[in-house]
């Protein structure tokens, strides 16, 4: 199912970080949280990453 999800800001593919339970957008430098097994694909909820 990960192949169907894209970053809402850049529309690029995401990678899954199992340890942090996040979907990472390398293009946007954002990490989208996964809460209760559900990805939260809102830019306002994403964490900025370096």
């Amino acid at each position: 199912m990960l192949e169907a999800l894209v970053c809402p800001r850049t529309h690029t593919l995401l990678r899954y970080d199992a340890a942090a339970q996040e979907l990472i957008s390398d293009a946007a430098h954002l990490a989208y949280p996964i809460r209760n097994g559900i990805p939260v694909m809102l830019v306002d909820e994403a964490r900025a990453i370096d």
Side-chain angles (χ1 to χ4, degrees):
M1 181 155 154
L2 181 58
E3 300 84 29
L5 295 175
V6 295
C7 175
R9 178 172 283 169
T10 63
H11 305 287
T12 57
L13 294 178
L14 301 166
R15 65 180 168 86
Y16 176 57
D17 182 345
Q21 285 295 294
E22 294 176 324
L23 295 173
I24 307 297
S25 171
D26 292 314
H29 302 284
L30 293 172
Y32 297 94
I34 299 173
R35 296 187 186 132
N36 298 321
I38 301 170
V40 180
M41 303 303 297
L42 301 170
V43 174
D44 292 340
E45 293 287 324
R47 176 177 67 82
I49 55 175
D50 295 329

